[in-house]
Amino acid sequence: MQIEPFALERWFATHEADNLMLAESGIRPLDPTRFDLVPDDFGYVIPTGGDPDLRGRIGDRYDRAADEVLLTCGTQEANFVTFAALMGDHAVVVTPTYQSLHAIPEALGEVTRVELDAADGWRLDPDAVAEAIRPDTALVVLNNPNNPTGRIHDADTVRAVYEHAADAGAYLLCDEVYRPFAGADDGAVELPPPAASLGPYGVSTCGLSKGYGLAGLRFGWLAGPREVVEAAAQWKDYTTISPPAVSQRVAEQVLDPETEAEILAENRDLAARNRDLVGAFVDRHDLGWPDPETGVNAFIEVPDGFFGGQSFCERVVEECSVVLAPGEAFDQPDYFRLGFGDETAHLEEGLERLDGLLERHA
Ligand SMILES: Cc1ncc(COP(=O)(O)O)c(C=O)c1O
């Protein structure tokens, strides 16, 4: 089995150590001292699928029971074990998206990509998904809200995609790691129902990395039909066995309703403030972008005079020591992704350096 190198991770590994990072896709990390970091003991978490009480609380978000949830090391592992469990001959993947969502099924079988329409604000046409589904399609894969565009596929779209998948007997795997960012379920942004709540073919993955500022915790989950969770758990026996004990201890606190509301409100405030700064930057230089509906990713057209995201981002690192993410990592060479989740002063410094570069090359 072969898998292509993870372009974004390799780009970060080359540049992130000594430069100002504006390519992170999550909010700035939380201070660990605000949590109790001590688990009951340092044995494996028993049962290995995760604490039943916490799984039950997460399951409530999807109208699912505790044994329809599996706790994992990040959303990445939740996606991986779901792919391993469900991938048959063929999957349909909506792109552009986070590379692992197409690279893993491409390593396991055949993938048909359905492209979001850039000219139409990166909207998804559910009929294009229907056309791509084949008799041997096992999975349809969506990322909602979407990385890198920051767009939210609405309820009608997600339901239509779910119905197309279910009619074909295929599961819909929806990576919803940016969902908590969008305001969880407090109405801050209108969100579709999570895929796992849509019916017997819906699977949701999520985690604490992006909206909560807890990427280093490596805590995530999948929720879905019991047979999917059981099959994914069989793969997890071979990957990480149980969720990390310290992470689960922290997750129990983070997902307490009061604490969660407090953390998400803090993080959403920071994201909104920073988004306005990026909006002003985009306007100043007359750049094109889909105004992100949520999250901290701005997917911006490469400025005139530069040839492709990769060469623009290389020039930016060389000339102003700022790391952006090249659109090529999403097979979109006309774009770059700018992450605006860090502290505002850090973002301001980075934008000022970019202003200088764009003025010099105007
Ligand atoms: C869509 C998407 N899914 C999953 C991940 C990985 O998440 P985690 O840190 O929870 O493993 C990322 C990270 O950028 C992502 O953008």
Side-chain angles (χ1 to χ4, degrees), residues 25 74-76 79 98 101 143 147 175 177-178 209-210 218:
S25 56
T75 314
Q76 189 81 298
N79 288 331
Y98 186 59
L101 294 177
N143 173 208
N147 172 13
D175 177 326
V177 72
Y178 290 94
S209 290
K210 304 299 168 187
R218 310 307 307 127

Side-chain angles (χ1 to χ4, degrees), residues 203-214:
V203 181
S204 294
T205 55
C206 193
L208 299 184
S209 290
K210 304 299 168 187
Y212 299 85
L214 292 164

Side-chain angles (χ1 to χ4, degrees), residues 29-37 214 250:
L30 291 185
D31 181 347
T33 59
R34 66 196 272 176
F35 302 108
D36 167 7
L37 302 174
L214 292 164
V250 176

Side-chain angles (χ1 to χ4, degrees), residues 16 20 35 46 64 73 113 141 150 243 278 305 319 324 351 361:
E16 72 186 329
L20 192 151
F35 302 108
I46 308 287
R64 290 198 173 269
C73 287
R113 297 191 194 191
V141 183
V278 178
E319 278 195 32
L324 301 166
L351 292 178
H361 290 274

